[in-house]
Amino acid sequence: MNLQRLLDALGIQDDAARAVAEDLRTQLDELQARLREAQTHLEHLAPTRKTVTSLADRLPAALPDLPEHPDYPRILGVFNDATGPLRARDLCVALDHELLPKNIEGTRAKLKRLVKLDILTEVEAGRFARKQ
């Protein structure tokens, strides 16, 4: 067996092993960079989680589904801007409904429905307010 051929074969294997090692070092560098990014992301999530958790008990309960009528969201919008209890007549004015008995009674019925859904409260007969 020729010593030179053996040395050449060892040189080829050495070159291949060095190439593999260099590829692995490159992959390791990329993985370390990705790991640093993931750790930074986790560090940013921790205070966010803490804040959300501390506020969770202060969030209002989800509103029940409103009945299918375009006035219901508008009524709630008026109550969101109101500073005190409102009558059905006040809502008719705010919603630009004619002040006819049928419109006032229809609005009063909608207000009573919102009371049953526990969204509004009737603070006194005929006067409604947003539930606290």
Side-chain angles (χ1 to χ4, degrees), residues 7-112:
L7 291 175
D8 289 344
L10 285 173
I12 291 172
Q13 288 184 3
D14 186 64
D15 291 343
R18 287 180 193 276
V20 168
E22 185 58 33
D23 286 344
L24 290 174
R25 276 190 212 94
T26 301
Q27 290 177 19
L28 182 61
D29 290 343
E30 291 170 0
L31 288 173
Q32 285 176 335
R34 289 177 54 194
L35 177 61
R36 281 190 300 274
E37 289 174 14
Q39 287 173 327
T40 301
H41 186 67
L42 283 172
E43 289 170 5
H44 291 149
L45 286 176
T48 302
R49 181 182 313 280
K50 184 176 179 181
T51 302
V52 168
T53 303
S54 70
L55 294 175
D57 59 340
R58 298 182 201 166
L59 294 175
L63 289 177
D65 291 332
L66 292 176
E68 296 264 341
H69 191 281
D71 277 350
Y72 285 100
R74 294 177 63 209
I75 289 170
L76 293 180
V78 171
F79 276 101
N80 286 339
D81 296 334
T83 58
L86 299 172
R87 296 187 175 280
R89 181 180 198 79
D90 302 327
L91 269 120
C92 284
V93 170
L95 299 174
D96 293 325
H97 293 318
E98 289 184 68
L99 293 178
L100 300 174
K102 67 176 187 172
N103 292 339
I104 295 170
E105 288 307 313
T107 301
R108 187 180 337 285
K110 289 178 182 78
L111 294 172
K112 294 280 190 179

